[in-house]
């Protein structure tokens, strides 16, 4: 397999299943329910040249928790913890921006 030349593309190609799913959920959420970048988000936090829309972090958490549910025997906090880990992993890889209640994909 060819290795992508773009550093971000290489990171994305190596994402685990939970991280990849979380990234896709963010992308879909922004496309379907995103809003223009609020002026309250400081320029030091977001690149307005590459990011036009953001989504609500609470909605992302809800969607991820529902996506990570595997069965009725799941402990109630497992999907929540898995969702939180996936969000933190994407942030640490500089693929996801979060400020207050807003979330966006970094390009």
């Amino acid at each position: 397999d060819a290795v992508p030349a773009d550093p971000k593309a290489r990171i994305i190609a190596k994402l685990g299943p939970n991280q990849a799913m979380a990234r896709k959920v963010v992308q879909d959420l922004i496309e379907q329910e995103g809003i223009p970048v609020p002026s309250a988000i400081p320029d030091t936090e977001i690149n307005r040249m590459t990011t036009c829309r953001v989504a609500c972090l609470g909605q992302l958490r809800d969607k991820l928790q529902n996506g990570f549910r595997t069965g009725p025997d799941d402990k109630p906090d497992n999907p929540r913890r898995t969702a939180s880990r996936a969000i933190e992993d994407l942030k640490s890889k500089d693929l996801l921006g979060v400020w207050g209640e807003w979330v966006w994909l970094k390009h």
Side-chain angles (χ1 to χ4, degrees):
D1 289 327
V3 177
D6 175 35
K8 285 240 194 245
R10 280 197 297 265
I11 293 169
I12 292 167
K14 293 179 181 181
L15 290 176
N18 288 349
Q19 296 165 339
M21 182 188 130
R23 189 174 183 284
K24 175 72 171 130
V25 169
V26 173
Q27 187 174 15
D28 292 347
L29 181 62
I30 290 170
E31 286 175 8
Q32 296 165 8
E33 301 178 40
I35 65 164
V37 177
S39 60
I41 300 176
D43 290 341
T44 56
E45 297 295 323
I46 193 167
N47 182 343
R48 286 179 165 76
M49 299 296 289
T50 58
T51 304
C52 300
R53 299 172 68 75
V54 299
C56 178
L57 182 58
Q59 283 182 299
L60 173 62
R61 286 190 177 121
D62 290 345
K63 288 184 181 289
L64 286 177
Q65 287 177 36
N66 289 334
F68 287 134
R69 289 191 203 292
T70 58
D73 295 335
D74 257 358
K75 291 182 180 177
D77 67 333
N78 283 352
R80 181 188 53 79
R81 287 197 326 231
T82 303
S84 292
R85 272 195 306 271
I87 290 169
E88 288 305 314
D89 289 345
L90 291 176
K91 283 172 46 180
S92 72
K93 291 176 180 355
D94 203 32
L95 298 175
L96 189 71
V98 176
W99 189 83
E101 280 302 306
W102 303 110
V103 61
W104 60 91
L105 289 174
K106 290 188 171 184
H107 302 280

